[in-house]
Amino acid sequence: MEIELQRLYRGTPCPSALTLPKCPHSGGHESTWRPPTLVREGCLPPGKFSLAFIYILFFISPLSSENTAMNQKVVLITGCSSGIGLALAVRLAKDEKNRFMVYATMRNLDKSEALAEAAGCTLGSTLKIKQLDVCDENSIKACVDSLPMRRVDILISNAGLGMIGPIECQSIDEMKTVMDTNFFGLMRLLKEILPDMKTRKSGHIVVISNVMRIQGILFNDIYAASKFAIEGFCESLAVQALRFNLKISIFEPGPVITEFERKVYEEGLKTDLTKADEVTADMFNNILKNYNLIFKSLGQTPEDVAEQTLKLITMKKPPFRHQTNTMYAYEDLNGDLPIETFYKMVFEQDKRKLSNRKCFRDLL
């Protein structure tokens, strides 16, 4: 939005050499200001120059952007090409108080178009896109080395892979890939970033986990195992982190309507069930039939998860665990409830259908 000086100086004509930022998140103005030039060209009366200089100094000076940058927390987010990661990066970059400098990372930069479009005017100011593959230690190091002073105030580990299906239909290599991304990906990030946080005695590690760490869901065996591993690790690390004044928070969403879930569903449809027995295959097909219904009825948006993440990372004492979906959150001391509930969802429903059909035949 351009500010014309004649509005301040009784209609005196002036060129558009003085502007305010087009983006409220840029932290500074987009073009250089030239008071001497303005005076020399006669656009601004010399007597008015001191007033203009004060206005520029306090409201548009580049120094204000430098001060803002110094106070910003550096946030590194993985898995930002879509879904929760994309929503998180955009929400933090567009923070009304301009509190964050966001480095949104992804394995393949060819998939950055959606993020760049959603970021809008924050791109290049409070949001920068970088390449990072959580399965490649060299990629992680190169990304962290490219940051000013290698500083990461908030690490949000979001990158992950999903996999559904009977284990007899999945290869060991496929299982290793899920664990390598979901669990060892976090390990690689922390090996590179945690030592610097310890040295500064400052930092917040946010891990996007899943409610499956509470109870594994049918045919999500390997994915659930990766989340159990992550949470067990974080529980152990949290004790050590206290000694260095570090914070660890685990986010546990339920179903989230994202590209991630769509891909998992589509891969599930391609599962070769020839190695599964008939009962197991029928169970899996029954789950797939209800997959979309479950997500439509219980799912939340990635924007909702991002909003809750913003609230959590700005708390003085953030919780260790946070479940994002109140419709999907539960507490079960002995672990029986979800097993019984899922069993009824999958099997009792069919029994009720058969019972209804029998009653209908009896009436005839």
Side-chain angles (χ1 to χ4, degrees), residues 234-248:
C234 288
E235 285 181 355
S236 177
L237 182 63
V239 179
Q240 180 190 159
L242 288 175
R243 184 69 176 81
F244 295 91
N245 195 37
L246 305 181
K247 304 170 186 174
I248 297 179

Side-chain angles (χ1 to χ4, degrees), residues 157-364:
S157 176
N158 170 72
L161 285 179
M163 184 168 68
I164 60 173
I167 62 167
E168 53 268 54
C169 302
Q170 299 166 339
S171 70
I172 294 297
D173 285 340
E174 289 173 329
M175 298 177 189
K176 285 181 177 179
T177 299
V178 172
M179 295 299 294
D180 193 42
T181 303
N182 295 0
F183 179 71
F184 288 105
L186 174 62
M187 301 304 104
R188 294 185 188 97
L189 286 169
L190 291 179
K191 280 174 65 66
E192 189 65 39
I193 294 172
L194 185 60
D196 290 338
M197 286 185 169
K198 285 182 173 180
T199 299
R200 297 194 310 269
K201 289 186 170 52
S202 174
H204 192 175
I205 299 163
V206 179
V207 180
I208 305 299
S209 182
N210 195 280
V211 292
M212 288 191 206
R213 71 90 193 168
I214 303 172
Q215 177 66 49
I217 305 299
L218 185 62
F219 293 117
N220 282 266
D221 316 313
I222 307 304
Y223 179 74
S226 72
K227 296 302 180 181
F228 270 76
I230 285 172
E231 300 231 1
F233 168 81
C234 288
E235 285 181 355
S236 177
L237 182 63
V239 179
Q240 180 190 159
L242 288 175
R243 184 69 176 81
F244 295 91
N245 195 37
L246 305 181
K247 304 170 186 174
I248 297 179
S249 297
I250 301 174
F251 257 59
E252 298 170 343
V256 183
I257 305 170
T258 65
E259 183 75 6
F260 176 90
E261 304 297 348
R262 184 187 66 78
K263 288 180 180 178
V264 171
Y265 173 69
E266 290 180 351
E267 289 299 317
L269 292 174
K270 299 175 185 177
T271 302
D272 181 5
L273 296 172
T274 56
K275 293 183 179 180
D277 60 84
E278 185 177 347
V279 175
T280 301
D282 287 342
M283 289 171 61
F284 182 61
N285 286 327
N286 192 32
I287 284 291
L288 286 180
K289 289 177 184 177
N290 297 309
Y291 194 89
N292 288 328
L293 178 62
I294 292 173
F295 274 83
K296 287 180 180 178
S297 59
L298 296 176
Q300 64 184 147
T301 65
E303 289 74 23
D304 184 28
V305 177
E307 196 65 40
Q308 293 188 48
T309 305
L310 172 62
K311 293 179 181 178
L312 182 137
I313 64 176
T314 54
M315 293 179 182
K316 288 185 178 180
K317 294 183 178 180
F320 177 68
R321 280 194 175 92
H322 175 72
Q323 294 182 26
T324 67
N325 192 335
T326 56
M327 293 181 64
Y328 209 78
Y330 56 85
E331 291 183 7
D332 179 35
L333 296 179
N334 59 20
D336 290 337
L337 178 61
I339 296 175
E340 294 171 358
T341 301
F342 250 83
Y343 187 87
K344 290 177 181 178
M345 285 175 60
V346 175
F347 300 109
E348 298 298 329
Q349 182 178 7
D350 291 338
K351 289 182 178 180
R352 285 195 296 271
K353 287 180 180 178
L354 291 173
S355 177
N356 291 337
R357 289 173 187 168
K358 183 177 182 300
C359 291
F360 182 70
R361 286 197 300 268
D362 290 343
L363 286 174
L364 294 176

